Amino acid sequence: MNFHYTVKSKREIKDLLKAIEEALTEIQFSIQWQTNLTESIKKKGLDKVEAAYHILEVCNPFVAEKILSQNPEAHYFLPCKMTVHEKDGEVYVGLLRPTHLMQ
């Protein structure tokens, strides 16, 4: 089993990021932090990464409380990480499988 779950999107990255934020809000998740990793790399004068990589950390405080009350060591993989990225000219969204991390 892969450590991640990733699907291809037909949306452009900007539109996909907005749709993700809206969908997360509907299920009581929020984006705690996000970065444009490619932009951060380029700001350091590096140029080998051309594809877009957006990293989001998302959390539902109700779920986080439940998980942490059952396993205080879960803080190592919270909040959950999602990515929106390009690969071979296509846009993908993915996340780490929490069940894989808990093993």
Side-chain angles (χ1 to χ4, degrees):
M1 174 187 287
N2 287 333
F3 66 90
H4 63 93
Y5 174 76
T6 302
V7 295
K8 186 172 19 173
S9 175
K10 294 181 180 182
R11 298 176 189 233
E12 292 184 25
I13 287 178
K14 180 181 173 185
D15 296 334
L16 182 55
L17 288 168
K18 182 176 180 174
I20 288 170
E21 184 171 5
E22 290 170 358
L24 288 170
T25 299
E26 288 179 20
I27 57 171
Q28 296 183 318
F29 275 75
S30 62
I31 297 172
Q32 302 295 304
W33 174 85
Q34 78 176 4
T35 189
N36 178 332
L37 185 58
T38 307
E39 186 178 286
S40 296
I41 290 169
K42 289 182 186 263
K43 283 182 181 178
K44 297 295 182 184
L46 304 169
D47 62 1
K48 292 182 182 175
V49 176
E50 292 296 325
Y53 293 95
H54 295 265
I55 313 296
L56 300 88
E57 289 193 344
V58 303
C59 183
N60 176 316
F62 303 102
V63 174
E65 179 186 51
K66 182 178 178 181
I67 291 169
L68 287 168
S69 67
Q70 293 173 5
N71 182 353
E73 300 303 314
H75 64 86
Y76 283 108
F77 55 84
L78 293 176
C80 298
K81 186 174 285 187
M82 296 180 70
T83 67
V84 174
H85 62 280
E86 292 176 329
K87 181 178 177 183
D88 301 326
E90 302 287 336
V91 175
Y92 294 85
V93 60
L95 58 115
L96 294 169
R97 291 181 186 271
T99 51
H100 183 82
L101 293 173
M102 287 190 264
Q103 293 173 356

